[in-house]
Coordinates of all heavy atoms in Angstrom, one line a residue:
Y19 N -42.0 10.0 21.2 CA -40.8 9.5 20.5 C -39.7 9.1 21.4 O -39.4 9.9 22.3 CB -40.4 10.6 19.5 CG -41.3 10.8 18.3 CD1 -42.1 11.9 18.2 CD2 -41.3 9.8 17.3 CE1 -43.0 12.0 17.1 CE2 -42.1 10.0 16.2 CZ -42.9 11.1 16.1 OH -43.7 11.2 15.0
G20 N -39.1 8.0 21.1 CA -37.9 7.6 21.9 C -38.2 6.8 23.1 O -37.5 5.9 23.4
R21 N -39.2 7.2 23.9 CA -39.4 6.5 25.2 C -39.8 5.0 24.9 O -39.4 4.2 25.8 CB -40.5 7.2 26.0 CG -40.0 8.5 26.6 CD -40.9 9.2 27.4 NE -42.1 8.5 27.8 CZ -42.9 8.9 28.8 NH1 -42.6 10.0 29.4 NH2 -44.0 8.3 29.1
E22 N -40.4 4.7 23.8 CA -40.8 3.3 23.6 C -39.6 2.5 23.2 O -39.5 1.3 23.3 CB -41.9 3.2 22.6 CG -41.7 3.9 21.3 CD -42.0 5.4 21.2 OE1 -42.7 5.9 22.0 OE2 -41.4 6.0 20.4
K23 N -38.5 3.2 22.7 CA -37.3 2.5 22.3 C -36.3 2.4 23.5 O -35.5 1.4 23.6 CB -36.6 3.2 21.2 CG -37.4 3.1 19.9 CD -36.8 3.9 18.8 CE -37.7 3.9 17.6 NZ -37.3 4.8 16.5
T24 N -36.3 3.4 24.3 CA -35.4 3.4 25.5 C -36.2 3.8 26.7 O -36.1 4.9 27.2 CB -34.2 4.4 25.3 OG1 -34.8 5.7 25.0 CG2 -33.3 3.9 24.2
P25 N -37.0 2.9 27.2 CA -37.9 3.3 28.3 C -37.2 3.5 29.6 O -36.6 2.6 30.2 CB -38.9 2.2 28.4 CG -38.1 1.0 27.9 CD -37.2 1.5 26.8
I26 N -37.2 4.8 30.1 CA -36.6 5.1 31.4 C -37.7 5.2 32.4 O -37.4 5.5 33.6 CB -35.6 6.3 31.4 CG1 -36.4 7.6 31.0 CG2 -34.5 6.1 30.4 CD1 -35.6 8.8 31.2
T27 N -38.9 5.1 32.0 CA -40.0 5.2 32.9 C -40.9 4.0 32.8 O -40.9 3.3 31.8 CB -40.9 6.5 32.5 OG1 -41.4 6.3 31.2 CG2 -40.2 7.8 32.7
E28 N -41.6 3.8 33.8 CA -42.7 2.7 33.8 C -43.8 3.2 33.0 O -43.9 4.3 32.6 CB -43.1 2.4 35.3 CG -42.0 2.1 36.3 CD -41.4 0.7 36.0 OE1 -42.0 -0.1 35.2 OE2 -40.4 0.5 36.6
E29 N -44.7 2.3 32.7 CA -45.9 2.7 31.9 C -46.7 3.8 32.5 O -47.3 4.6 31.9 CB -46.8 1.5 31.7 CG -46.1 0.4 30.9 CD -46.9 0.0 29.6 OE1 -48.0 0.5 29.4 OE2 -46.3 -0.8 28.9
S30 N -46.6 3.9 33.8 CA -47.3 4.9 34.6 C -46.7 6.3 34.5 O -47.3 7.3 34.9 CB -47.4 4.5 36.1 OG -46.0 4.5 36.6
G31 N -45.5 6.3 34.0 CA -44.7 7.6 33.9 C -43.7 7.7 35.0 O -42.9 8.7 35.0
Q32 N -43.7 6.8 35.9 CA -42.8 6.9 37.1 C -41.4 6.5 36.6 O -41.2 5.6 35.8 CB -43.2 5.8 38.1 CG -42.4 5.9 39.4 CD -42.6 7.1 40.2 OE1 -43.7 7.7 40.2 NE2 -41.6 7.4 41.0
L33 N -40.4 7.3 36.9 CA -39.0 7.1 36.6 C -38.6 5.8 37.2 O -38.8 5.6 38.4 CB -38.2 8.3 37.1 CG -36.7 8.3 36.7 CD1 -36.5 8.4 35.2 CD2 -36.1 9.5 37.3
K34 N -38.0 4.9 36.4 CA -37.5 3.7 36.9 C -36.4 3.9 37.9 O -35.5 4.8 37.7 CB -36.9 2.8 35.7 CG -38.0 2.3 34.8 CD -37.5 1.3 33.8 CE -38.6 0.7 33.0 NZ -38.1 -0.2 31.9
S35 N -36.3 3.1 38.9 CA -35.4 3.4 40.1 C -34.0 3.3 39.6 O -33.2 4.2 40.1 CB -35.7 2.4 41.2 OG -35.4 1.1 40.8
E36 N -33.6 2.5 38.7 CA -32.2 2.4 38.3 C -31.8 3.7 37.5 O -30.7 4.1 37.7 CB -31.9 1.1 37.5 CG -32.7 1.0 36.2 CD -34.0 0.2 36.3 OE1 -34.6 0.1 37.4 OE2 -34.4 -0.3 35.3
W37 N -32.7 4.3 36.8 CA -32.4 5.5 36.1 C -32.4 6.7 37.1 O -31.5 7.6 37.0 CB -33.5 5.8 35.0 CG -33.2 5.0 33.8 CD1 -33.7 3.9 33.4 CD2 -32.2 5.5 32.8 NE1 -33.1 3.5 32.2 CE2 -32.2 4.5 31.8 CE3 -31.4 6.6 32.6 CZ2 -31.4 4.6 30.7 CZ3 -30.6 6.7 31.5 CH2 -30.6 5.6 30.5
K38 N -33.3 6.7 38.1 CA -33.2 7.7 39.1 C -31.9 7.7 39.8 O -31.3 8.8 40.0 CB -34.4 7.6 40.1 CG -34.5 8.7 41.0 CD -35.7 8.7 41.9 CE -35.8 9.9 42.8 NZ -37.0 10.0 43.5
K39 N -31.4 6.5 40.2 CA -30.1 6.4 40.9 C -29.0 6.9 40.0 O -28.1 7.6 40.4 CB -29.9 5.0 41.3 CG -30.8 4.5 42.4 CD -30.6 3.0 42.7 CE -31.6 2.6 43.7 NZ -31.6 1.1 43.9
L40 N -29.1 6.6 38.7 CA -28.0 7.0 37.8 C -28.0 8.5 37.6 O -27.0 9.1 37.7 CB -28.3 6.3 36.4 CG -27.2 6.3 35.4 CD1 -26.0 5.5 35.9 CD2 -27.7 5.8 34.1
F41 N -29.2 9.1 37.5 CA -29.3 10.6 37.4 C -28.8 11.2 38.6 O -28.1 12.2 38.6 CB -30.7 11.0 37.1 CG -31.2 10.8 35.7 CD1 -32.6 10.4 35.5 CD2 -30.4 10.9 34.6 CE1 -33.0 10.2 34.2 CE2 -30.9 10.7 33.3 CZ -32.2 10.4 33.1
E42 N -29.1 10.7 39.8 CA -28.6 11.3 41.0 C -27.1 11.1 41.2 O -26.5 12.1 41.7 CB -29.4 10.6 42.2 CG -30.8 11.0 42.2 CD -31.7 10.2 43.2 OE1 -31.2 9.1 43.7 OE2 -32.8 10.6 43.5
K43 N -26.6 10.0 40.9 CA -25.1 9.8 41.1 C -24.3 10.5 40.1 O -23.2 11.0 40.4 CB -24.8 8.3 41.0 CG -23.4 7.9 41.3 CD -23.2 6.4 41.4 CE -21.8 6.1 41.8 NZ -21.5 4.7 42.0
F44 N -24.8 10.6 38.8 CA -24.0 11.2 37.8 C -24.7 12.4 37.2 O -24.7 12.6 35.9 CB -23.7 10.2 36.7 CG -22.8 9.1 37.2 CD1 -23.4 7.8 37.4 CD2 -21.5 9.2 37.5 CE1 -22.7 6.7 37.9 CE2 -20.7 8.2 37.9 CZ -21.3 6.9 38.1
S45 N -25.3 13.2 38.0 CA -26.1 14.4 37.5 C -25.3 15.4 36.7 O -25.8 16.1 35.8 CB -26.8 15.1 38.6 OG -25.9 15.6 39.5
H46 N -24.0 15.4 36.9 CA -23.1 16.3 36.1 C -22.9 15.8 34.7 O -22.2 16.5 33.9 CB -21.8 16.5 36.9 CG -21.0 15.2 37.1 ND1 -21.5 14.2 37.9 CD2 -19.9 14.7 36.5 CE1 -20.6 13.2 37.9 NE2 -19.6 13.5 37.0
R47 N -23.3 14.6 34.4 CA -23.1 14.0 33.0 C -24.3 14.0 32.1 O -24.2 13.4 31.0 CB -22.5 12.6 33.2 CG -21.2 12.6 33.9 CD -20.7 11.2 34.0 NE -19.3 11.1 34.4 CZ -18.2 10.9 33.6 NH1 -18.4 10.7 32.4 NH2 -17.0 10.9 34.1
F48 N -25.4 14.5 32.5 CA -26.6 14.4 31.7 C -27.1 15.8 31.3 O -26.9 16.7 32.0 CB -27.8 13.7 32.5 CG -27.5 12.2 32.7 CD1 -27.0 11.7 33.8 CD2 -27.9 11.3 31.7 CE1 -26.8 10.4 34.0 CE2 -27.7 10.0 31.8 CZ -27.2 9.5 33.0
M49 N -27.7 15.8 30.1 CA -28.4 17.1 29.7 C -29.7 16.7 29.0 O -29.8 15.6 28.4 CB -27.5 17.8 28.6 CG -26.2 18.4 29.2 SD -25.3 19.4 28.0 CE -24.7 18.1 26.9
L50 N -30.6 17.6 29.0 CA -31.9 17.4 28.2 C -31.8 18.1 26.9 O -31.0 19.0 26.7 CB -33.0 18.1 29.0 CG -33.5 17.4 30.2 CD1 -34.7 18.2 30.8 CD2 -33.9 16.0 30.0
G51 N -32.5 17.5 25.9 CA -32.6 18.1 24.6 C -33.7 17.5 23.8 O -34.2 16.4 24.2
V52 N -34.0 18.2 22.7 CA -35.0 17.6 21.8 C -34.3 17.5 20.5 O -33.7 18.4 20.0 CB -36.2 18.6 21.7 CG1 -37.2 18.1 20.6 CG2 -36.9 18.8 23.0
D53 N -34.3 16.3 19.9 CA -33.6 16.0 18.7 C -34.6 15.9 17.6 O -35.2 14.8 17.4 CB -32.8 14.7 18.9 CG -32.0 14.3 17.7 OD1 -31.7 15.2 16.9 OD2 -31.5 13.2 17.6
G54 N -34.8 16.9 16.9 CA -35.8 16.9 15.7 C -35.1 16.5 14.5 O -34.4 17.3 13.8
V55 N -35.2 15.3 14.1 CA -34.5 14.7 12.9 C -35.3 15.0 11.7 O -34.8 15.3 10.6 CB -34.2 13.2 13.1 CG1 -33.5 12.7 11.9 CG2 -33.4 13.0 14.3
F56 N -36.6 14.8 11.8 CA -37.5 14.9 10.6 C -38.4 16.1 10.8 O -38.7 16.4 11.9 CB -38.3 13.6 10.4 CG -37.4 12.4 10.3 CD1 -37.3 11.5 11.3 CD2 -36.8 12.1 9.1 CE1 -36.5 10.4 11.2 CE2 -36.0 11.0 8.9 CZ -35.8 10.1 10.0
P57 N -38.9 16.6 9.7 CA -39.8 17.8 9.8 C -41.0 17.6 10.7 O -41.4 18.5 11.5 CB -40.2 18.1 8.4 CG -39.1 17.6 7.6 CD -38.6 16.3 8.3
D58 N -41.6 16.4 10.7 CA -42.7 16.2 11.6 C -42.4 16.2 13.0 O -43.3 16.3 13.9 CB -43.5 14.9 11.2 CG -42.7 13.6 11.4 OD1 -41.4 13.7 11.3 OD2 -43.3 12.6 11.7
H59 N -41.1 16.1 13.4 CA -40.7 16.2 14.8 C -41.0 17.6 15.4 O -41.0 17.8 16.6 CB -39.3 15.8 15.0 CG -39.0 14.3 14.8 ND1 -37.7 13.8 14.7 CD2 -39.8 13.3 14.6 CE1 -37.8 12.5 14.5 NE2 -39.0 12.2 14.5
Y60 N -41.1 18.5 14.5 CA -41.3 19.9 14.9 C -42.7 20.3 14.9 O -43.0 21.5 15.2 CB -40.4 20.9 14.0 CG -39.0 20.7 14.3 CD1 -38.2 20.0 13.5 CD2 -38.4 21.3 15.4 CE1 -36.8 19.9 13.7 CE2 -37.0 21.2 15.7 CZ -36.3 20.5 14.8 OH -34.9 20.3 15.1
E61 N -43.6 19.4 14.6 CA -45.0 19.7 14.7 C -45.4 19.9 16.2 O -44.8 19.3 17.0 CB -45.9 18.6 14.1 CG -45.7 18.5 12.6 CD -46.6 17.4 12.0 OE1 -47.4 16.8 12.7 OE2 -46.3 17.1 10.8
K62 N -46.3 20.8 16.4 CA -46.6 21.2 17.8 C -46.8 20.0 18.7 O -46.2 19.9 19.8 CB -47.8 22.1 17.8 CG -48.0 22.7 19.2 CD -49.1 23.7 19.2 CE -49.3 24.3 20.6 NZ -50.4 25.2 20.6
Y63 N -47.6 19.0 18.3 CA -47.9 17.9 19.2 C -46.7 17.1 19.6 O -46.5 16.8 20.7 CB -49.0 17.0 18.6 CG -49.2 15.8 19.4 CD1 -49.9 15.8 20.6 CD2 -48.6 14.6 19.1 CE1 -50.1 14.7 21.4 CE2 -48.8 13.4 19.9 CZ -49.5 13.5 21.0 OH -49.7 12.4 21.8
V64 N -45.9 16.8 18.6 CA -44.7 16.0 18.9 C -43.7 16.7 19.7 O -43.2 16.2 20.7 CB -44.0 15.6 17.5 CG1 -42.7 14.8 17.8 CG2 -45.0 14.8 16.7
Y65 N -43.4 18.0 19.4 CA -42.5 18.8 20.2 C -42.9 19.0 21.6 O -42.2 18.7 22.6 CB -42.2 20.1 19.5 CG -41.2 21.0 20.2 CD1 -39.9 20.8 20.1 CD2 -41.7 22.0 21.1 CE1 -39.0 21.6 20.8 CE2 -40.8 22.8 21.7 CZ -39.4 22.6 21.6 OH -38.5 23.4 22.3
V66 N -44.2 19.4 21.8 CA -44.7 19.7 23.1 C -44.8 18.4 23.9 O -44.4 18.4 25.1 CB -46.1 20.4 23.0 CG1 -46.8 20.4 24.3 CG2 -46.0 21.8 22.4
S67 N -45.2 17.3 23.3 CA -45.3 16.0 24.1 C -43.9 15.6 24.6 O -43.7 15.1 25.7 CB -46.0 14.9 23.3 OG -45.3 14.6 22.2
S68 N -42.9 15.8 23.7 CA -41.5 15.5 24.1 C -41.0 16.3 25.3 O -40.5 15.8 26.3 CB -40.6 15.7 22.9 OG -39.2 15.4 23.3
V69 N -41.3 17.6 25.2 CA -40.9 18.5 26.3 C -41.7 18.2 27.6 O -41.1 18.2 28.7 CB -41.1 20.0 25.9 CG1 -40.9 20.9 27.1 CG2 -40.1 20.4 24.8
M70 N -42.9 17.9 27.5 CA -43.7 17.6 28.6 C -43.2 16.3 29.3 O -43.2 16.2 30.5 CB -45.2 17.5 28.3 CG -45.8 18.8 27.8 SD -45.7 20.1 29.0 CE -46.8 19.6 30.3
A71 N -42.8 15.3 28.5 CA -42.3 14.1 29.0 C -41.0 14.3 29.8 O -40.8 13.8 30.9 CB -42.1 13.1 27.9
Q72 N -40.2 15.2 29.3 CA -38.9 15.5 30.0 C -39.2 16.3 31.3 O -38.5 16.0 32.3 CB -38.0 16.4 29.1 CG -37.5 15.6 27.9 CD -36.6 16.5 27.0 OE1 -36.3 17.7 27.3 NE2 -36.3 16.0 25.8
R73 N -40.1 17.2 31.3 CA -40.5 17.9 32.5 C -41.0 16.9 33.5 O -40.8 17.1 34.7 CB -41.5 19.0 32.2 CG -40.9 20.1 31.4 CD -41.9 21.2 31.2 NE -41.3 22.4 30.5 CZ -42.0 23.4 30.0 NH1 -43.3 23.4 30.2 NH2 -41.3 24.4 29.4
E74 N -41.8 16.0 33.1 CA -42.4 15.0 34.1 C -41.2 14.2 34.7 O -41.2 14.0 35.9 CB -43.4 14.0 33.4 CG -43.9 12.9 34.2 CD -44.6 13.4 35.5 OE1 -45.3 14.4 35.4 OE2 -44.5 12.6 36.5
I75 N -40.3 13.8 33.9 CA -39.1 13.1 34.5 C -38.3 13.9 35.4 O -38.0 13.5 36.5 CB -38.2 12.5 33.3 CG1 -39.0 11.4 32.6 CG2 -36.9 12.1 33.8 CD1 -38.3 11.0 31.2
M76 N -38.1 15.2 35.1 CA -37.3 16.1 35.9 C -38.0 16.3 37.2 O -37.4 16.5 38.3 CB -37.0 17.4 35.2 CG -36.0 17.2 34.1 SD -34.4 16.7 34.6 CE -34.4 15.0 34.1
S77 N -39.4 16.3 37.2 CA -40.2 16.6 38.4 C -40.0 15.5 39.4 O -40.3 15.7 40.6 CB -41.6 16.8 38.1 OG -42.3 15.6 37.8
Q78 N -39.5 14.4 39.0 CA -39.3 13.2 39.9 C -37.9 13.2 40.6 O -37.6 12.3 41.4 CB -39.6 11.9 39.2 CG -41.0 11.8 38.7 CD -41.3 10.6 37.9 OE1 -40.9 9.5 38.3 NE2 -41.9 10.8 36.7
L79 N -37.1 14.2 40.2 CA -35.8 14.3 40.8 C -35.8 15.5 41.8 O -36.6 16.4 41.7 CB -34.8 14.5 39.7 CG -34.6 13.4 38.7 CD1 -33.8 13.8 37.5 CD2 -34.1 12.1 39.3
G80 N -34.8 15.6 42.6 CA -34.6 16.7 43.5 C -34.4 18.0 42.6 O -33.9 17.9 41.5
P81 N -34.7 19.2 43.1 CA -34.6 20.4 42.4 C -33.2 20.7 41.9 O -33.0 21.2 40.8 CB -35.2 21.5 43.3 CG -35.4 20.9 44.6 CD -35.3 19.4 44.4
Q82 N -32.2 20.5 42.7 CA -30.8 20.8 42.3 C -30.4 19.8 41.2 O -29.7 20.2 40.3 CB -29.9 20.7 43.5 CG -30.1 21.8 44.5 CD -29.2 21.6 45.8 OE1 -28.8 20.5 46.1 NE2 -28.9 22.8 46.3
I83 N -30.7 18.5 41.3 CA -30.3 17.6 40.3 C -31.1 17.9 39.0 O -30.4 17.9 37.9 CB -30.6 16.1 40.7 CG1 -29.7 15.8 41.9 CG2 -30.5 15.2 39.6 CD1 -30.0 14.5 42.6
A84 N -32.3 18.2 39.1 CA -33.1 18.5 37.9 C -32.5 19.8 37.2 O -32.4 19.8 36.0 CB -34.6 18.7 38.2
R85 N -32.2 20.8 38.0 CA -31.6 22.0 37.4 C -30.3 21.7 36.7 O -30.1 22.2 35.6 CB -31.4 23.1 38.4 CG -30.9 24.4 37.8 CD -30.7 25.4 38.9 NE -29.9 26.5 38.3 CZ -30.5 27.6 37.7 NH1 -31.8 27.7 37.5 NH2 -29.7 28.5 37.2
K86 N -29.5 20.9 37.3 CA -28.2 20.5 36.6 C -28.5 19.9 35.2 O -27.9 20.3 34.2 CB -27.4 19.5 37.5 CG -26.4 20.1 38.4 CD -25.6 19.0 39.0 CE -24.6 19.5 39.9 NZ -23.9 18.4 40.6
I87 N -29.4 18.9 35.2 CA -29.6 18.1 34.0 C -30.3 19.0 33.0 O -30.0 18.9 31.8 CB -30.4 16.9 34.4 CG1 -29.5 15.9 35.2 CG2 -30.9 16.2 33.1 CD1 -30.3 14.7 35.8
A88 N -31.3 19.8 33.4 CA -32.1 20.6 32.5 C -31.5 21.8 32.0 O -31.9 22.4 31.0 CB -33.5 20.9 33.2
Y89 N -30.5 22.3 32.8 CA -30.0 23.7 32.4 C -28.5 23.8 32.6 O -27.7 24.1 31.7 CB -30.7 24.7 33.3 CG -30.3 26.1 33.1 CD1 -30.6 26.9 31.9 CD2 -29.5 26.8 34.1 CE1 -30.2 28.2 31.8 CE2 -29.1 28.1 33.9 CZ -29.4 28.8 32.8 OH -29.0 30.0 32.6
D90 N -28.0 23.6 33.9 CA -26.6 24.0 34.2 C -25.6 23.3 33.4 O -24.6 23.9 33.1 CB -26.4 23.8 35.7 CG -27.1 24.8 36.6 OD1 -27.5 25.9 36.1 OD2 -27.4 24.5 37.8
N91 N -25.8 22.0 33.2 CA -24.7 21.2 32.5 C -24.5 21.7 31.1 O -23.4 21.8 30.6 CB -25.1 19.7 32.5 CG -25.0 19.1 33.9 OD1 -24.4 19.7 34.8 ND2 -25.6 18.0 34.0
A92 N -25.6 22.1 30.4 CA -25.5 22.6 29.0 C -24.8 24.0 29.1 O -23.9 24.3 28.3 CB -26.8 22.7 28.4
K93 N -25.2 24.8 30.0 CA -24.6 26.1 30.2 C -23.1 26.0 30.4 O -22.3 26.7 29.8 CB -25.3 26.8 31.4 CG -24.8 28.2 31.6 CD -25.5 28.9 32.8 CE -24.8 30.2 33.1 NZ -25.3 30.7 34.4
N94 N -22.7 25.1 31.3 CA -21.3 24.9 31.6 C -20.5 24.4 30.4 O -19.4 24.8 30.1 CB -21.1 24.0 32.8 CG -21.6 24.6 34.0 OD1 -21.6 25.8 34.2 ND2 -21.9 23.8 35.0
L95 N -21.1 23.4 29.6 CA -20.5 22.9 28.5 C -20.3 23.9 27.4 O -19.2 24.0 26.8 CB -21.3 21.7 27.9 CG -20.8 21.0 26.7 CD1 -19.5 20.3 27.0 CD2 -21.8 20.1 26.0
L96 N -21.3 24.7 27.2 CA -21.2 25.8 26.2 C -20.5 27.0 26.6 O -20.3 28.0 25.8 CB -22.6 26.1 25.7 CG -23.4 24.9 25.0 CD1 -24.8 25.2 24.8 CD2 -22.7 24.4 23.8
K97 N -20.2 27.1 27.9 CA -19.5 28.3 28.5 C -20.3 29.6 28.3 O -19.7 30.6 27.9 CB -18.1 28.4 28.0 CG -17.2 27.2 28.4 CD -15.8 27.3 27.9 CE -14.9 26.1 28.1 NZ -15.2 25.0 28.8
V98 N -21.6 29.5 28.6 CA -22.4 30.7 28.4 C -22.9 31.1 29.8 O -23.0 30.4 30.7 CB -23.6 30.5 27.5 CG1 -23.1 30.3 26.1 CG2 -24.5 29.3 27.9

């Protein structure tokens, strides 16, 4: 869901270079999340495939940048 509408990866799953540069330059401005709008979005296959796609993208970034985007930015925003 979503990747076909806003493709940030190549068909191979490789993060597009312009997106990688954007994530690296502005890593403090991005967060990961799953937006379940409809009940079928919470079905195991849809949810798991969405999370796995996000993990694949994060694995293509440096560990500090990936941690910021996947965890730290949300923690700082929510002050937890």
Side-chain angles (χ1 to χ4, degrees):
Y19 285 106
R21 286 180 16 164
E22 55 282 334
K23 294 178 184 169
T24 55
I26 66 171
T27 60
E28 304 291 347
E29 297 238 352
S30 65
Q32 184 72 25
L33 185 59
K34 289 184 177 180
S35 63
E36 62 266 26
W37 277 97
K38 185 172 184 176
K39 289 175 189 171
L40 194 65
F41 286 144
E42 290 171 345
K43 185 172 183 177
F44 298 105
S45 61
H46 62 288
R47 294 182 172 257
F48 289 95
M49 292 186 291
L50 287 183
V52 177
D53 186 16
V55 178
F56 302 105
D58 65 328
H59 290 169
Y60 290 101
E61 291 179 13
K62 185 176 181 181
Y63 172 77
V64 176
Y65 180 81
V66 169
S67 65
S68 178
V69 170
M70 295 302 292
Q72 291 178 10
R73 288 180 178 173
E74 174 60 31
I75 290 168
M76 292 296 102
S77 75
Q78 297 175 50
L79 299 170
Q82 291 177 330
I83 292 170
R85 181 179 169 90
K86 265 187 181 178
I87 294 171
Y89 176 74
D90 290 339
N91 293 342
K93 181 180 172 189
N94 293 335
L95 179 70
L96 299 172
K97 298 181 183 357
V98 294

